[in-house]
Amino acid sequence: RFVPGQPIPSIEVTGIPWEIRGYWSLWTVAIRSAEWCKERVLALFLHDDGRVLPPTARHLWSLLLEQMPKPGRYLDCSESARAFEEVTTAAQRLGHPLYEELLRFHQARLERERENKRFAFNARRRASERIGLPAVRQHRLNELAKEETAWNLESESRAHVHPELVPRLMIRVEGLGDV
């Protein structure tokens, strides 16, 4: 986890134009519930002029993995804090669609699970209504109703998720061209 105030390393990268100067960062966008988590990774490049350049972010990620450049210097605390704030604002804006996608996935998953459970409860209810003495049938139906109520409460708690946007890495990048 990259934290505010942590010195940001500055690197020079070959293979990108010298006009490319800004901050590259890697983020985890996640939703979490009591027993479930789904994450996506977001690569972000914030140019010094304020533009967010997604294709540049992906290209830089590839170059960083290939070249593994060493930092030439580290930004001081005030520069790092300002950059962290600017990049975080951009990550919140770009990460929101990923969060919405994860939320839709979670809601669809819960709805499939609810449909399956409703079908199972209805099948068990029909079977309980046909088999056994009246007192035994009623006891089974009461137990099934309790189980269904407990499951509905549990299902409601699983529907509540918490969003997360976690900075994993932040780097100052300056292009060197095709040296």
Side-chain angles (χ1 to χ4, degrees), residues 141-152:
L141 289 171
N142 290 343
E143 290 299 312
L144 183 61
K146 287 179 190 175
E147 187 181 332
E148 191 170 7
T149 300
W151 184 84
N152 283 330

Side-chain angles (χ1 to χ4, degrees), residues 1 6 42 48 57 75 91 101-102 114 116 122 124 130-131 136 141 143 145-146 156:
R1 177 181 285 249
Q6 181 176 343
L42 171 67
D48 284 348
L75 277 62
E101 178 186 323
L102 292 171
R114 286 182 187 125
N116 290 341
N122 287 335
R124 288 175 59 195
R130 291 191 313 259
I131 301 169
V136 173
L141 289 171
E143 290 299 312
K146 287 179 190 175
E156 280 300 313

Side-chain angles (χ1 to χ4, degrees), residues 4 11 21 38 44 67 70 72 84 95 103 105 108 115 140 145 172:
I11 60 171
R21 296 179 177 285
K38 185 79 171 169
L44 178 96
Q67 297 177 16
K70 302 276 189 251
F84 187 89
L103 195 56
F105 177 84
E115 286 177 26
R140 286 184 189 147
R172 168 79 185 163

Side-chain angles (χ1 to χ4, degrees), residues 109-171:
R109 178 182 150 273
L110 285 177
E111 189 53 39
R112 284 190 308 273
E113 187 178 293
R114 286 182 187 125
E115 286 177 26
N116 290 341
K117 259 320 198 189
R118 279 192 289 263
F119 180 80
F121 280 125
N122 287 335
R124 288 175 59 195
R125 187 175 294 106
R126 286 190 305 273
S128 294
E129 289 170 344
R130 291 191 313 259
I131 301 169
L133 298 171
V136 173
R137 281 196 304 251
Q138 191 56 49
H139 176 72
R140 286 184 189 147
L141 289 171
N142 290 343
E143 290 299 312
L144 183 61
K146 287 179 190 175
E147 187 181 332
E148 191 170 7
T149 300
W151 184 84
N152 283 330
L153 289 172
E154 181 186 325
S155 177
E156 280 300 313
S157 75
R158 284 196 314 267
H160 299 290
V161 293
H162 306 285
E164 277 188 4
L165 181 64
V166 180
R168 298 297 178 181
L169 181 63
M170 197 170 295
I171 302 170

Side-chain angles (χ1 to χ4, degrees), residues 67-82:
Q67 297 177 16
M68 296 180 60
K70 302 276 189 251
R73 67 180 183 97
Y74 287 85
L75 277 62
D76 65 35
C77 290
S78 62
E79 270 185 301
S80 292
R82 180 194 51 75

Side-chain angles (χ1 to χ4, degrees), residues 87-101:
V87 175
T88 298
T89 300
Q92 289 169 343
R93 193 174 65 250
L94 259 63
H96 191 72
L98 288 176
Y99 165 74
E100 293 291 330
E101 178 186 323

